Amino acid sequence: MDKSDKRQISPMLRSILNLDVKLTNAFVRCAEKLVPLKHLKMHYKMLEISCHGICWIASLLALIWILNNKNLYQMQVNLMIALLLDVIIVAVVKAATRRRRPAVNDDPLSMGPDKYSFPSGHSSRSVLIFYFFKYLWPVSGIYLTPLLAWVFAVSMSRILMRRHYIIDIGAGLALGYIEGMLMSLLYLDAQTCVNFISWITDEKIDGAEFDV
């Protein structure tokens, strides 16, 4: 590829990215001295899966069908929209920035990740989920502390697994919060959500035309 076809990065931005690499590497090395990575690898993998977009979307679709509870439709439909919004926005930003990950993922059992690092989709998704259940469909405060701990654990695991740099995590956290605020504007009312579920699952909704 001709050099003129490559993206030009300003010296200031390059300096920031280089500093980010150094700080991330130093942080990971320090953490590995305290607790060897291999002892926590399984925990990191579980955190990765627990915040994976495919797992959340597939589980949410399954719960909509299995529970078939009209009282939950508003939460389920809006959360689905939020998750899809996050996937699209993160994919667009990653395609635009094309920052490479700290290390190649050679785990044959891994569900991803893609080759781009900025921003962290796991971090944005975790904050979006926290925002959703704190502000949009509020749950009891007893659940918010473990949910916030999960957000922190997921974000830290992404760095320690060498999936992301520190700036990627920070950007992901900020993006997730912005997505949450955007969802507060897009949030659908209960009847709209019931009508939507009724439209796509006609045979399952009580009183539908082909109800069985």
Side-chain angles (χ1 to χ4, degrees), residues 56-57 59-84 132-133 137 183 187-188 193-194 196-197 205:
W56 271 88
I57 292 174
S59 298
L60 192 54
L61 286 172
L63 288 175
I64 290 174
W65 180 259
I66 294 171
L67 297 179
N68 189 27
N69 187 338
K70 290 185 178 181
N71 294 326
L72 297 177
Y73 285 165
Q74 186 178 24
M75 179 273 289
Q76 293 167 332
V77 170
N78 281 289
L79 182 56
M80 178 65 70
I81 294 173
L83 293 172
L84 293 174
F132 187 93
F133 288 112
W137 201 75
M183 272 306 302
Y187 201 76
L188 301 179
C193 295
V194 169
F196 178 73
I197 296 295
I205 302 297

Side-chain angles (χ1 to χ4, degrees), residues 23-158:
L23 290 176
T24 301
N25 290 336
F27 176 79
V28 174
R29 285 195 298 267
C30 181
E32 289 177 342
K33 289 179 180 178
L34 297 175
V35 182
L37 177 62
K38 62 181 180 180
H39 292 168
L40 294 176
K41 188 173 182 179
M42 182 56 66
H43 298 286
Y44 294 159
K45 176 59 63 176
M46 293 304 297
L47 286 168
E48 181 178 58
I49 295 173
S50 74
C51 196
H52 199 286
I54 293 177
C55 294
W56 271 88
I57 292 174
S59 298
L60 192 54
L61 286 172
L63 288 175
I64 290 174
W65 180 259
I66 294 171
L67 297 179
N68 189 27
N69 187 338
K70 290 185 178 181
N71 294 326
L72 297 177
Y73 285 165
Q74 186 178 24
M75 179 273 289
Q76 293 167 332
V77 170
N78 281 289
L79 182 56
M80 178 65 70
I81 294 173
L83 293 172
L84 293 174
L85 180 69
D86 174 70
V87 169
I88 293 171
I89 292 177
V90 169
V92 170
V93 175
K94 283 186 175 183
T97 56
R98 292 179 291 168
R99 187 185 192 189
R100 295 288 179 172
R101 293 185 181 274
V104 176
N105 179 27
D106 56 1
D107 185 353
L109 301 178
S110 177
M111 300 173 63
D114 54 76
K115 60 185 178 180
Y116 297 131
S117 177
F118 181 91
S120 168
H122 277 70
S123 295
S124 68
R125 192 171 303 114
S126 64
V127 170
L128 175 60
I129 292 169
F130 176 82
Y131 187 102
F132 187 93
F133 288 112
K134 180 174 174 60
Y135 298 110
L136 303 183
W137 201 75
V139 297
S140 173
I142 194 173
Y143 300 110
L144 292 178
T145 298
L147 192 56
L148 187 59
W150 173 71
V151 172
F152 177 80
V154 166
S155 298
M156 287 298 98
S157 71
R158 305 308 289 164

